[in-house]
Amino acid sequence: MSEERFGDFVLVRRHGDGHVAELALDRPKAMNAVSTAMARSVTEACAALAGDLAVRVVVLTSTHERAFCVGADLKERNSFSDADLLRQRPVTRGAYTAVLELPVPTIAAVHGFALGGGFELALSCDVIVADPTAVVGLPEVSVGVIPGGGGTQLLPRRVGAARAAELVFTARRVEAAEARELGLVDQLVDEGEDRARALELASRMAANSPVGLRAAKRALRLGHGLDLRAGLEVEDAAWRAVAFSGDRAEGVAAFNEKRAPRWPGE
């Protein structure tokens, strides 16, 4: 396993052959509160991962034992003028967008608090794995703002408009069992096993064609919310992008030769 640090608060670990990358939030003294510096680091790390064709899956984790991420750094914000807040906005928005737009499958491993921007980072991933200590929510209206890291758009896509409205308007925190029941998280695992399970799931995904994984994610993301006819056109375009690839040829050959594929990744 190799490690690379982005700024003071983000650590990227590459597992095994480098096909699974772990983006670890590493600001334990602040329970991974998203400061300006941390947001920049997340963006930089995501840019590096997005450009690395060896990476097939990204797992978003936390080094803090009691929190995934508690959201925006309100202590930092308390010192801001209106002009400071306005200048910070594209920086913090860029971090959430960078996670959301990673071109490979993404898995969030959540334990402890995942609130506000912390939950929005998880929502930006394709799959959320949580342990029983997880507490999630979007409490922004309780401090006079709204979810601004994608929460008002990502949450209803997960759980429906009415349920999302109730959760946003009440600002309530949801514990792990209810979060699984409502669809706020996808898998509930034993305590302390969220990271291990997420990495295991990532390894299973990463065994598949890197060309296929990227195209499938693109089709899923671009097609969501479109009418069926338009969505099928998105799928067809993604299919055409992979149908004549080296990965497709290798996948068919490996199947017929009854062996594991050796993906060329092109």
Side-chain angles (χ1 to χ4, degrees):
M1 181 176 66
S2 64
E3 294 187 350
E4 181 180 5
R5 185 164 286 280
F6 291 82
D8 293 328
F9 306 128
V10 171
L11 182 65
V12 170
R13 302 183 178 112
R14 296 168 192 266
H15 293 266
D17 50 16
H19 296 326
V20 173
E22 178 184 0
L23 194 163
L25 305 176
D26 187 32
R27 195 185 177 207
K29 291 182 179 179
M31 300 182 83
N32 291 330
V34 182
S35 63
T36 306
M38 185 171 177
R40 287 197 178 99
S41 295
V42 169
T43 302
E44 291 168 6
C46 287
L49 294 173
D52 186 346
L53 294 180
V55 174
R56 300 180 186 176
V57 186
V58 173
V59 179
L60 185 60
T61 67
S62 162
T63 64
H64 195 287
E65 62 181 16
R66 293 189 296 109
F68 175 74
C69 172
V70 294
D73 186 342
L74 296 184
K75 290 184 179 179
E76 180 186 58
R77 292 247 181 117
N78 193 48
S79 68
F80 279 3
S81 66
D82 288 350
D84 292 332
L85 185 59
L86 191 60
R87 279 191 293 267
Q88 189 203 41
R89 174 60 177 165
V91 178
T92 52
R93 185 180 181 191
Y96 300 112
T97 301
V99 175
L100 183 65
E101 294 186 350
L102 280 166
V104 297
T106 50
I107 305 167
V110 175
H111 59 265
F113 297 113
L115 302 172
F119 189 39
E120 287 172 307
L121 286 172
L123 289 171
S124 296
C125 295
D126 299 302
V127 179
I128 302 175
V129 176
D131 86 353
T133 69
V135 179
V136 305
L138 297 175
E140 284 87 347
V141 297
S142 69
V143 293
V145 289
I146 70 166
T152 65
Q153 305 305 304
L154 295 169
L155 188 59
R157 283 168 167 78
R158 264 190 167 268
V159 301
R163 183 161 286 163
E166 183 262 319
L167 292 168
V168 171
F169 297 159
T170 61
R172 73 183 179 93
R173 299 179 178 191
V174 182
E175 296 188 359
E178 185 185 5
R180 176 66 185 88
E181 181 182 342
L182 296 180
L184 301 175
V185 304
D186 302 300
Q187 294 187 21
L188 192 58
V189 300
D190 292 340
E191 185 170 343
E193 292 297 312
D194 52 295
R195 177 176 177 269
R197 180 64 65 86
L199 289 170
E200 177 187 349
L201 182 59
S203 294
R204 289 178 58 191
M205 293 179 181
N208 296 308
S209 158
V211 170
L213 288 171
R214 288 176 179 245
K217 175 158 180 172
R218 189 163 61 248
L220 285 163
R221 284 290 176 91
L222 293 180
H224 190 93
L226 299 179
D227 65 67
L228 180 59
R229 187 179 296 274
L232 290 172
E233 290 302 317
V234 168
E235 181 182 82
D236 186 65
W239 180 87
R240 290 175 185 276
V242 301
F244 309 104
S245 68
D247 273 14
R248 192 275 307 169
E250 169 61 13
V252 173
F255 177 84
N256 284 287
E257 295 167 17
K258 296 181 173 57
R259 60 172 175 81
R262 296 181 291 271
W263 304 115
E266 58 185 22

